[in-house]
Amino acid sequence: MSEKPMPNIAFDLQRIHRVITRGLTVLEENCHVFAESGFPDETTCEGFWKYCQALEANIQGHHMAEDDIFFPFVAPRLPERDIPRLSLEHQVLANTLGQMKASREAGSLVDLGPELSKLAGVWYPHIHKEETWFSPEIMGQVLTVPEHIDLAQKTAAHSAAHAQPAPLCVPFLLYNAEPEDRAFYMNAMPPELTQQLVPIVWKDEWAAMKPFLLN
Ligand SMILES: [Fe+2]
Ligand SMILES: [Fe+2]
């Protein structure tokens, strides 16, 4: 008989960090290539900027879920950790996201490149701290199983509500996720979303991002 794995909010953090990290890597690599050689066609150009928009919004949604729900809940359980510092880093990242948006709206790869480097410079040490401070072992010690389940549901709902527009952000989440992570998300989402909206109703809106997404 297979045992159901224990729920642990730390795995949810690691999962969304992997999705965002892939998005950032893909965007950096392609920004460099297209800045050198130009976009091969209009659809690729459209898809690149939509992918950029979806990355910005998914980071924003994730950070709001941490600031509004996760951090306030775990901070009293981990008084030795400088959790306000993590929220300050979110503000630094939000400033960079604002600059990325301006570059995107101007269609400027030359301006976008340095913003992506700035984002990466804060992002990697930031998630390293989070994944160390909120490791599965530590979270397993400071939260009860019902708290893990409740926090996972609340943070997922909060980030989904703020990661907009959904027709770009949901496909971005699903198709930057490796198979195991994608299966987790698909299972957690309502069937209407995964069987109707993403593959059919929203398809035309996000299809241009396909060259940057996983199969
Ligand atoms: Fe964070
Ligand atoms: Fe995070």
Side-chain angles (χ1 to χ4, degrees):
M1 204 172 80
S2 68
E3 260 185 53
K4 239 183 149 186
M6 289 284 275
N8 194 312
I9 190 75
F11 295 127
D12 298 77
L13 287 187
Q14 293 172 4
R15 194 178 299 110
I16 185 64
H17 289 167
R18 283 194 287 273
V19 166
I20 291 169
T21 296
R22 180 186 187 270
L24 179 55
T25 306
V26 167
L27 208 57
E28 276 191 296
E29 285 170 3
N30 283 281
C31 181
H32 183 69
V33 170
F34 297 143
E36 290 262 307
S37 55
F39 288 110
D41 52 59
E42 264 185 42
T43 307
T44 309
C45 176
E46 177 196 337
F48 177 85
W49 291 117
K50 282 184 167 175
Y51 189 86
C52 183
Q53 182 184 358
L55 175 69
E56 292 163 31
N58 273 292
I59 295 176
Q60 162 104 337
H62 171 56
H63 286 172
M64 290 182 80
E66 288 183 336
D67 286 333
D68 296 345
I69 294 171
F70 180 67
F71 293 165
F73 196 88
V74 297
R77 316 276 174 101
L78 297 166
E80 74 284 9
R81 295 299 187 195
D82 186 6
I83 291 175
R85 177 175 164 190
L86 297 174
S87 289
L88 284 177
E89 289 175 359
H90 288 176
Q91 287 177 26
V92 174
L93 290 162
N95 286 339
T96 306
L97 292 174
Q99 295 299 318
M100 279 174 62
K101 182 177 182 223
S103 308
R104 171 167 58 76
E105 287 175 348
S108 173
L109 292 167
V110 174
D111 291 340
L112 181 66
E115 299 306 332
L116 292 175
S117 300
K118 268 193 243 168
L119 191 73
V122 181
W123 173 255
Y124 290 102
H126 178 78
I127 64 168
H128 178 73
K129 276 200 285 290
E130 288 182 343
E131 293 183 12
T132 306
W133 295 1
F134 314 127
S135 69
E137 295 73 25
I138 293 169
M139 290 295 96
Q141 287 162 10
V142 301
L143 299 175
T144 65
V145 169
E147 286 171 340
H148 281 284
I149 295 169
D150 188 50
L151 266 182
Q153 285 172 348
K154 285 181 176 154
T155 52
H158 198 73
S159 49
H162 291 94
Q164 296 292 331
L168 295 185
C169 290
V170 177
F172 179 97
L173 181 74
L174 290 175
Y175 295 103
N176 279 294
E178 296 286 347
E180 196 181 324
D181 289 343
R182 191 182 308 164
F184 175 91
Y185 285 129
M186 298 279 266
N187 195 39
M189 287 175 181
E192 191 208 3
L193 193 56
T194 55
Q195 293 169 23
Q196 296 290 323
L197 293 175
V198 170
I200 301 167
V201 180
W202 294 344
K203 185 66 186 288
D204 288 348
E205 286 186 65
W206 65 270
M209 296 197 295
K210 275 192 161 185
F212 310 103
L213 299 170
L214 295 166
N215 284 323

